[in-house]
Amino acid sequence: MDDYLSVAATLPEDGCAGALVGRVWLPGDPPGPAVVSIRAEGVFDLTPLVPTMSELCNADDPVALARAPEARRLGELAPILANSRWDRRGPAHPWLLAPVDLQALKAAGVTFARSMLERVVEEQVKGDPGRAAGIRERIQAVVGADLHTIRPGSPEALRLKEHLVAQGAWSQYLEVGIGPDAEIFTKSQPMSAVGQGSEVGIHPASYWNNPEPELVLVVNAAGRIVGATLGNDVNLRDVEGRSALLLGKAKDNNASCALGPFIRLADPTFGVDDMRAAEIALTIQGEDGFKLSAVSSMSEISRDVEELVRHAIGAHHAYPDGLALFCGTMFAPVVDRGEIGLGFTHRIGDMVAIGTAKLGSLVNRVEDCTKIPAWAFGTNALMHNLALRGLL
């Protein structure tokens, strides 16, 4: 993991050319979280100006705040990154947190045709990965059409739905994948996400699971995309496959949501078109020598990122603290890891790296979610901590 926690691996390809902001845990009396900007000159504390990332993202000009000249320099990025590794965090040094705080943690599901078919497979096998290959072939034979070319909610999508219903092949996943309404669900609770170098959690009852590497939109209370980051929407395929009503158990467990390394704010160097064009690379490296690499292209998403935002926030639903919205993934691994026909699943100790040119790289290690320190610092703790430090 050390190589992935270097400055060069963590930062975007153009370094600090954009407006990068994040959060770190600062030592002190008392210690606590700080909103920071990452610049070529080092890491700078913005907390006296904006005590929460939510407030920064809701500001009239987040980029101006990120570049405020009066911010105090905390030091170089390299030692903060080194101290962010889950097993090396020293209490005397800062380490990286997830770059959002009070924002709602939401996710859009079934937004890529390739992963949509895998969700249908999960539904059909009822949690048994050994049946996946056969059912996958049957579903592809029935569907036939190139789902990537079908616009959700269009007359063509409606005709395909009628055909699939007649064939007995309709699915709730196809409903949200090509129907008029996007799936928007709660991934995790505000303040619960983990950041760069942390462990991500897999429920010990799960035997079929995977990472979901995703672009994550950072949206303010007015519904405007103010930036983006990377996320790992850790998923238990066996649990969701048993019943869609188990989505909460499949998605929301201790440390099952990772975000980072930083938020890149929208500015002349980075905008919505860059988000639309992003290539999201994934590498999984196991302690057993297993390695898997894949790339998801945001250009293949079935709904535009701004459309997803409109499904999540608007007159029908307000988020006064803003939200972080996972865009979904086309990654649904079918390569066997071990016994033939059982596909991929995580093993404890897997290293997961998610990267893209304009946002850098997010890296985490997989662990049993019951063995990772429990989430204990929530919204109430944040308010008390900021008040105690004289920041409210």
Side-chain angles (χ1 to χ4, degrees), residues 3 16 23 30 49 56 87 100 141 150 186 208 212 282 328 340:
D3 290 343
C16 295
R23 294 171 63 243
L49 305 175
L56 184 147
D87 58 350
V100 299
I150 297 176
T186 297
W208 189 24
E212 293 193 355
L282 170 75
I340 295 175

Side-chain angles (χ1 to χ4, degrees), residues 137-373:
E137 291 180 5
R138 183 181 67 81
I139 291 172
Q140 288 175 334
V142 173
V143 171
D146 182 0
L147 294 176
H148 173 64
T149 66
I150 297 176
R151 179 174 174 78
S154 66
E156 183 184 11
L158 179 59
R159 289 192 295 270
L160 177 59
K161 175 179 179 177
E162 292 171 349
H163 168 71
L164 294 173
V165 168
Q167 296 290 320
W170 190 245
S171 160
Q172 59 197 337
Y173 294 104
L174 290 167
E175 177 64 50
V176 296
I178 64 175
D181 299 309
E183 179 190 19
I184 304 291
F185 61 91
T186 297
K187 168 59 185 177
S188 294
Q189 303 308 304
M191 299 287 298
S192 70
V194 298
Q196 180 78 328
S198 294
E199 291 181 310
V200 289
I202 299 292
H203 197 290
S206 174
Y207 50 84
W208 189 24
N209 47 69
N210 60 254
E212 293 193 355
E214 304 186 22
L215 181 80
V216 182
L217 308 173
V218 180
V219 183
N220 69 9
R224 180 168 63 93
I225 300 172
V226 297
T229 187
L230 293 168
N232 186 351
D233 175 14
V234 180
N235 184 43
L236 311 182
R237 298 189 69 180
D238 47 355
V239 174
E240 185 178 357
R242 281 160 46 204
S243 171
L245 298 181
L246 292 173
L247 184 64
K249 184 179 181 66
K251 292 288 190 178
D252 190 4
N253 295 289
N254 189 34
S256 66
C257 178
L259 291 166
F262 313 113
I263 295 169
R264 184 164 186 169
L265 298 172
D267 70 357
T269 73
F270 180 70
V272 173
D273 284 343
D274 293 293
M275 302 174 202
R276 293 182 175 118
E279 300 278 326
I280 312 296
L282 170 75
T283 299
I284 303 170
Q285 180 72 58
E287 294 181 345
D288 57 354
F290 175 87
K291 187 172 184 178
L292 176 64
S293 297
V295 176
S296 292
S297 176
M298 285 293 294
S299 65
E300 295 187 35
I301 199 167
S302 59
R303 301 181 198 264
D304 185 69
V305 293
E306 291 185 327
E307 180 185 350
L308 290 177
V309 171
R310 290 194 295 271
H311 280 274
I313 184 172
H316 64 289
H317 204 315
Y319 292 96
D321 297 307
L323 66 148
L325 179 62
F326 284 76
C327 289
T329 184
M330 61 189 290
F331 178 71
V334 298
V335 61
D336 290 321
R337 183 182 194 178
E339 187 175 343
I340 295 175
L342 294 185
F344 169 85
T345 195
H346 268 310
R347 293 183 183 174
I348 300 304
D350 281 355
M351 186 278 296
V352 180
I354 299 168
T356 192
K358 291 277 189 169
L359 296 174
S361 181
L362 169 68
V363 61
N364 302 100
R365 177 185 183 271
V366 174
E367 180 55 278
D368 179 330
C369 72
T370 66
K371 296 179 180 179
I372 297 173

Side-chain angles (χ1 to χ4, degrees), residues 29 74 96 125 325 358 376:
D29 186 19
L74 297 174
L96 286 171
V125 304
L325 179 62
K358 291 277 189 169

